[in-house]
Amino acid sequence: MRIIAADTVVTGPGRNFVTLRITTDDGLTGVGDATLNGRELAVASYLRDHVAPLLTGRDAGRIEDTWQYLYRGAYWRRGPVTMAAVAAVDTALWDIKAKAAGMPLYQLLGGASRTGALAYGHASGRDIPEILDSVRAVRAEGYRAVRVQSGVPGLDSVYGVDDPTRTAGTASGGHPRPHEETWDTAAYLRHIPRVFEAVRAEFGPELPLLHDGHHRLTPIQAARLGKDLEPYDLFWLEDATPAEDPTALRLVRGHTTTPLALGEVFNSVYDYGPLLSERLIDFVRSAVTHAGGVTGLRKLLDLAAVHGARSGIHGPADISPVGMAAAVHLDLAVHNFGIQEYTRHTAETLEVFRPSYTFEGGALHPSEQPGLGVDLDAEAAARFPYEPAYLPVNRLLDGTLHDW
Ligand code: GCO
Ligand code: MG
């Protein structure tokens, strides 16, 4: 089974997505997600200009060899652009292999280890009453685990509450500028424990609650937040400190029993290093899309298992239904599953991508269709052109640029 075409599809059904579609000489097609939010065209070029020409004529069944060929063979290995491209090729080849076998992907990964993948939804609000309403709404949608993000008194626009697709007007040539949010760590640290106190009091002890610190705290600030949140028994505190310095987590870990999650901005198993070997985190957050595909995630989740960490695969709306489907197959198959983030895609996105996974009883379930179980409608994709968009940036009240 030889690869005869590898087409990169860039589409913007409400937000931008990059998808690789591989076709084989026996007529099978496979899809892989390569969406890197805010830097989409860099990955599209990497795929079109540097990867697709190498794929034609290769044996579609040699997934590990192709992974190594694109990873080691590039010499300039790793990095978010490279690894999103590798992810797309890898995921598309797994889709093809599973279709050729006539099996849903999870069967090739070892079969089901559970009946479904517990998913968490997003609740947020500018103040506590809004947050309580939002948690109620998320539960009414069927979720049995909820991430809670809050506005901060004195700040206009905060991660997780404000619309992340906002822009701040246009620069020359009509190109948008990133929206600017504001930040005050002291105000946040004072406020967040009150939010979780109120949510716990309202919804009782059993509801799994999660929170994303989105890389904003120093180690000692993160340690304090973890301690302050202990009475509210979080499922996890995510990205309490910027991810690139694993030594920060030693300090945080030494002070708090709040479980820690990290890794959505990582792009390979190697980024985790001491975070896993020293047991500094409880959950690994890499997405199939950003960390080398099904093969990349499989390597990571096996290493995590050795060090007692579980999966918490990244699943915001900027992971396409293709990336989400791949995650759901892994979630079902791996032993050390923790939880799956699941943000529903818009109707426009679902016109282009037709996933067959389902969300029932608070859990995600892959379909029994052979492969990933996602069709890409190329005509619908062509109706939604790419539009440049950025993630926001974040500034302290005195204007200093801070982590977003
Ligand atoms: C999450 C993430 C997202 C990211 C987004 C950036 O935990 O879901 O932090 O909200 O900010 O994926 O593109
Ligand atoms: Mg996050």
Side-chain angles (χ1 to χ4, degrees):
M1 192 171 45
R2 300 270 152 199
I3 297 173
I4 56 167
D7 304 303
T8 303
V9 178
V10 178
T11 179
R15 68 179 322 132
N16 296 315
F17 294 106
V18 178
T19 313
L20 184 72
R21 192 182 42 200
I22 293 181
T23 309
T24 65
D25 55 4
D26 52 4
L28 289 178
T29 58
V31 284
D33 181 23
T35 307
L36 189 61
N37 201 1
R39 296 291 186 273
E40 297 87 357
L41 297 187
V43 189
S45 159
Y46 193 106
L47 284 167
R48 278 187 187 133
D49 299 330
H50 303 291
V51 172
L54 300 178
L55 294 178
T56 321
R58 285 184 72 81
D59 179 348
R62 295 184 62 183
I63 299 178
E64 178 70 25
D65 183 67
T66 302
W67 195 95
Q68 299 292 348
Y69 183 70
L70 296 174
Y71 179 82
R72 283 171 212 282
Y75 187 64
W76 310 109
R77 61 184 67 166
R78 299 166 66 190
V81 174
T82 298
M83 294 308 284
V86 172
V89 175
D90 181 81
T91 307
L93 293 181
W94 276 107
D95 191 15
I96 288 170
K97 194 180 271 295
K99 282 180 180 168
M103 290 182 188
L105 175 61
Y106 76 84
Q107 291 290 5
L108 267 57
L109 300 174
S113 286
R114 55 193 53 77
T115 53
L118 178 71
Y120 72 89
H122 290 189
S124 66
R126 279 165 297 175
D127 54 28
I128 290 174
E130 260 189 37
I131 291 168
L132 298 182
D133 284 347
S134 176
V135 174
R136 263 179 227 115
V138 170
R139 294 185 82 199
E141 284 179 51
Y143 286 97
R144 289 186 285 123
V146 185
R147 184 187 89 156
V148 176
Q149 300 300 126
S150 171
V152 175
L155 300 183
D156 298 338
S157 175
V158 168
Y159 166 78
V161 181
D162 206 15
D163 173 8
T165 61
R166 264 173 76 175
T167 53
T170 49
S172 60
H175 207 79
R177 288 183 202 278
H179 169 60
E180 303 216 344
E181 295 185 352
T182 46
W183 190 245
D184 176 352
T185 299
Y188 166 79
L189 289 176
R190 281 194 301 272
H191 187 61
I192 287 295
R194 289 173 34 215
V195 169
F196 279 90
E197 182 184 24
V199 173
R200 264 291 166 241
E202 181 72 14
F203 297 99
E206 283 169 18
L207 180 67
L209 295 175
L210 302 84
H211 180 67
D212 191 344
H214 228 252
H215 323 274
R216 285 144 192 237
L217 305 179
T218 65
I220 202 69
Q221 291 166 343
R224 173 179 150 198
L225 180 62
K227 278 176 79 163
D228 288 352
L229 292 175
E230 279 170 21
Y232 315 116
D233 190 24
L234 264 58
F235 186 92
W236 78 36
L237 170 61
E238 177 188 348
D239 287 338
T241 55
E244 59 265 48
D245 180 2
T247 64
L249 273 289
R250 286 191 188 129
L251 193 141
V252 183
R253 195 65 154 177
H255 283 90
T256 180
T257 57
T258 293
L260 301 172
L262 199 112
E264 70 180 37
V265 298
F266 287 167
N267 45 72
S268 86
V269 61
Y270 296 101
D271 294 321
Y272 285 85
L275 293 176
L276 289 174
S277 61
E278 294 181 28
R279 293 183 180 254
L280 301 178
I281 55 173
D282 302 279
F283 297 93
V284 296
R285 292 284 285 136
S286 289
V288 174
T289 309
H290 299 136
V294 174
T295 299
L297 260 276
R298 199 60 208 245
K299 293 177 196 300
L300 168 62
L301 296 179
D302 285 346
L303 183 69
V306 171
H307 298 291
R310 292 190 287 155
S311 71
I313 299 182
H314 192 209
D318 44 286
I319 299 293
S320 86
V322 173
M324 181 58 64
V328 175
H329 285 282
L330 277 160
D331 292 336
L332 203 72
V334 297
H335 178 250
N336 57 330
F337 170 74
I339 200 164
Q340 173 64 52
E341 183 179 27
Y342 175 51
T343 319
R344 287 162 192 274
H345 290 102
T346 63
E348 283 171 308
T349 299
L350 296 173
E351 266 182 59
V352 174
F353 300 95
R354 311 270 168 77
S356 55
Y357 51 76
T358 52
F359 177 62
E360 267 166 48
L364 286 156
H365 308 271
S367 76
E368 291 299 314
Q369 277 182 28
L372 281 175
V374 187
D375 290 327
L376 171 70
D377 181 335
E379 279 175 25
R383 284 205 303 277
F384 297 102
Y386 165 82
E387 281 179 29
Y390 288 105
L391 285 165
V393 298
N394 196 27
R395 288 187 191 277
L396 303 182
L397 295 175
D398 71 356
T400 306
L401 201 89
H402 195 63
D403 301 82
W404 179 68

